[in-house]
Each structure stands twice: as structure tokens, then as C-alpha cells.
Amino acid sequence: DIQMTQSPSSLSASVGDRVTIACRASQSISPYLNWYQQKPGKAPKLLIYTASTLQGGVPSRFSGNGSGTDFTLTISSLQPEDFATYYCQQSYSTPLYTFGPGTKLEIK
Amino acid sequence: EVQLLESGGGLVQSGGSLRLSCAASGFTFTSYAMSWVRQAPGKGLEWISTISGSGGGTYYADSVKGRFSISRDNSKDTLSLQMNSLRAEDTAIYYCAKVRVLTAVRGGYFDYWGQGTLVIVSA
């Protein structure tokens, strides 16, 4: 089974900051890595698929990068609505999927 | 507009059964695989099951294999999850999600999610 880790597990930042969240897979999965955003009490929302493709309607301040086992999600300039928990997900082993443990992004 | 509406959650005793449903609209249901994902209170997301568009292929996480059964009724645009032998650790919000797949064997992603239904299993 493919295992996913994320770092950091939590992160404090200010509006306007640039932040990067890392995701690592236990084996090479490139480019089959997706990112989701979840706000409290809400369903997850797809942000990025296949490592770097922005889902329609997602602001361009979000970007994804990476290859092999190491991937990143970057928010170029944090907005108030971006404070949420972010999950990566591997889809290399489709139709079996694994999510990372999540990174909680909080307001400093 | 794509809509996914889960129902069937509730309180059940350990060892009991529950059947969840997800009513889909706004897309050609039979053309897409569907998945169930759960989230225990205060915890992360856990994929638990996927079914192909035709219903001919079903896949499960080890944590639910042999206890849960995914199915779909393409005539009614409805996805179901039959949950048997429930345990306290199955307590979670259960989400259904529409799956887009880039190739036959790689690259699925969940582009639409329902709002979830809460299942509580009492010990």
C-alpha cells in the first residue's frame, strides 16, 4: 500500500504570506497527486489534480508542483478564505486511494 | 449543476447494520465511478470504497473489506453503501464523491462531494 505523509501538520501564517505545504509518498506516484481544501463543517473541495493542474474555478494563487515521491502545494498570497485544512491524495493506485493526514493552516 | 445528497446516517449499536444512500443529479451518472470517503470526528479523510460506472467493479479499503458493500442503481442515479458488523471506530461523517479518472488504471480524482451523513456507532 502507498502511504502518504504531509508536513507540517499545522501552520500559522498571516494574510498576504506565501505558504508551502509538503506531501510525500512512500513510493513514486508521479504525477498522480491531488490536493483538497476542507473548511470546518464543510465537504472537501478539489483544488489541484495530477500534481499541478488547477481545478476549474480555483484561484490562481494556488499552485502545485513536484514529482516522484515529493510534492508541494503553494499559496502565493494568503487570503482570509484560505484558512482551512489541506489534504493530499495519491491516485497512482486508482481505484484504491490514500489521503495524507492533513495540514491545518491557521491565522497567525 | 452537479449535486450529491447523502442520507441514511444515524445512531446504531455496535454489531448493527446501516445503509447509506447518495442521490446524484446534474451529470450522466452511469459515466462516472463513485466513491465513499469518511472522516472520523476531528480526524482526517479516509477513502473506503469505489465502484465503477457500470457497477461491475468494486474496491474497498482493508478497514471495511468484508463488512461494507458498495452498489449503485444507474436507473435511479443512486449510490449506496451497506454497512454491516459496525464498530465504534466506524463512527464518522460519510461522504459520497464523484470520481473523474484520467486513464483506466491511474489518475482518479474526486471533483464533486456531497455534504456528508453522520454515522454514530455506540459501544
Side-chain angles (χ1 to χ4, degrees):
Chain A
D1 292 3
I2 300 174
Q3 307 302 317
M4 307 299 294
T5 60
Q6 287 183 235
S7 61
S9 56
S10 64
L11 174 61
S12 294
S14 301
V15 173
D17 283 354
R18 178 185 180 93
V19 299
T20 297
I21 297 168
C23 176
R24 174 169 287 178
S26 59
Q27 67 178 70
S28 179
I29 61 168
S30 191
Y32 301 110
L33 189 283
N34 309 318
W35 290 98
Y36 299 84
Q37 176 194 65
Q38 187 180 32
K39 297 180 180 179
K42 300 295 186 180
K45 173 188 173 183
L46 176 68
L47 297 176
I48 288 169
Y49 59 95
T50 54
S52 61
T53 304
L54 213 60
Q55 172 70 344
V58 175
S60 60
R61 63 181 179 272
F62 290 91
S63 63
N65 209 338
S67 63
T69 62
D70 294 309
F71 300 85
T72 57
L73 171 70
T74 297
I75 310 172
S76 60
S77 178
L78 273 174
Q79 298 302 300
E81 60 267 30
D82 299 337
F83 292 94
T85 300
Y86 294 85
Y87 295 92
C88 61
Q89 176 203 34
Q90 69 80 18
S91 61
Y92 180 86
S93 60
T94 295
L96 309 178
Y97 301 90
T98 317
F99 289 94
T103 294
K104 186 174 184 179
L105 179 52
E106 299 175 304
I107 300 174
K108 183 182 286 184
Chain B
E1 179 192 5
V2 172
Q3 291 193 343
L4 299 170
L5 184 61
E6 300 95 337
S7 61
L11 176 64
V12 62
Q13 286 190 327
S14 179
S17 299
L18 208 56
R19 186 176 182 88
L20 306 183
S21 295
C22 171
S25 61
F27 64 102
T28 304
F29 186 65
T30 191
S31 295
Y32 295 93
M34 298 291 294
S35 288
W36 288 98
V37 176
R38 69 183 181 185
Q39 186 170 37
K43 302 299 184 182
L45 302 172
E46 179 188 14
W47 168 81
I48 57 171
S49 187
T50 294
I51 187 168
S52 64
S54 67
T58 57
Y59 312 90
Y60 300 93
D62 288 344
S63 59
V64 304
K65 197 175 296 180
R67 299 188 300 123
F68 291 11
S69 177
I70 191 172
S71 62
R72 63 192 296 159
D73 184 339
N74 285 344
S75 69
K76 297 182 178 178
D77 291 357
T78 300
L79 174 72
S80 296
L81 185 69
Q82 177 67 41
M83 305 186 295
N84 299 327
S85 303
L86 283 162
R87 307 166 179 166
E89 55 264 37
D90 295 319
T91 294
I93 296 172
Y94 285 73
Y95 296 100
C96 65
K98 172 179 169 286
V99 184
R100 292 205 70 173
V101 185
L102 295 176
T103 74
V105 294
R106 305 256 190 259
Y109 54 93
F110 301 170
D111 59 348
Y112 288 93
W113 299 63
Q115 284 307 298
T117 187
L118 177 61
V119 172
I120 300 174
V121 183
S122 63

